[in-house]
Amino acid sequence: QVQLVESGGGLVQAGGSLRLSCAASGSIAAINAMGWYRQAPGKQRELVASFTRDDNTNYADSLKGRFTITRDNVKKVVFVQMNSLKPEDTAVYYCQASDGMFAYWGQGTQVTVSS
């Protein structure tokens, strides 16, 4: 099984930046995709950014240009750099990993952007 631990969330002023990190452990050899999702209160969970199995990147259209996903593919650590943060970015941010059979989720890290 794969375990995912997110870090880097917190409270930030509008216009500021945060970098979230997600470290995978356990049966990590087969992980071939990792990414970030978020869920705001009363909203559906939505894609933030991800690396796909074929090594392309996906971004939410509204976030492209502000958020950047990077990774260390050997250590299975994925980051998302979040710039120019807005109050509407406030959400719980979840890390996801896939091994082709299963999707694994972290417990989430809270990001709160104050206006």
Side-chain angles (χ1 to χ4, degrees):
Q1 190 171 349
V2 172
Q3 294 81 43
L4 302 171
V5 178
E6 303 102 331
S7 62
L11 177 64
V12 65
Q13 191 177 39
S17 298
L18 286 173
R19 189 180 77 155
L20 306 182
S21 301
C22 173
S25 61
S27 301
I28 65 173
I31 292 175
N32 52 40
M34 295 184 71
W36 291 93
Y37 293 74
R38 70 183 185 183
Q39 188 166 22
K43 301 287 188 178
Q44 299 284 332
R45 188 172 297 186
E46 64 177 355
L47 172 72
V48 174
S50 67
F51 286 101
T52 63
R53 180 180 292 182
D54 59 0
D55 230 20
N56 294 320
T57 54
N58 290 325
Y59 289 92
D61 288 341
S62 62
L63 304 179
K64 192 173 184 178
R66 292 196 297 122
F67 288 17
T68 303
I69 188 168
T70 57
R71 68 179 179 182
D72 181 334
N73 202 41
V74 175
K75 297 180 179 180
K76 300 301 182 184
V77 179
V78 64
F79 309 90
V80 58
Q81 177 69 40
M82 309 189 297
N83 297 326
S84 301
L85 284 164
K86 305 173 181 179
E88 52 263 43
D89 295 320
T90 296
V92 178
Y93 285 71
Y94 296 92
C95 180
Q96 185 197 49
S98 176
D99 61 10
M101 292 185 62
F102 301 101
Y104 306 93
W105 294 89
Q107 70 176 18
T109 184
Q110 177 72 47
V111 171
T112 302
V113 184
S114 63
S115 59

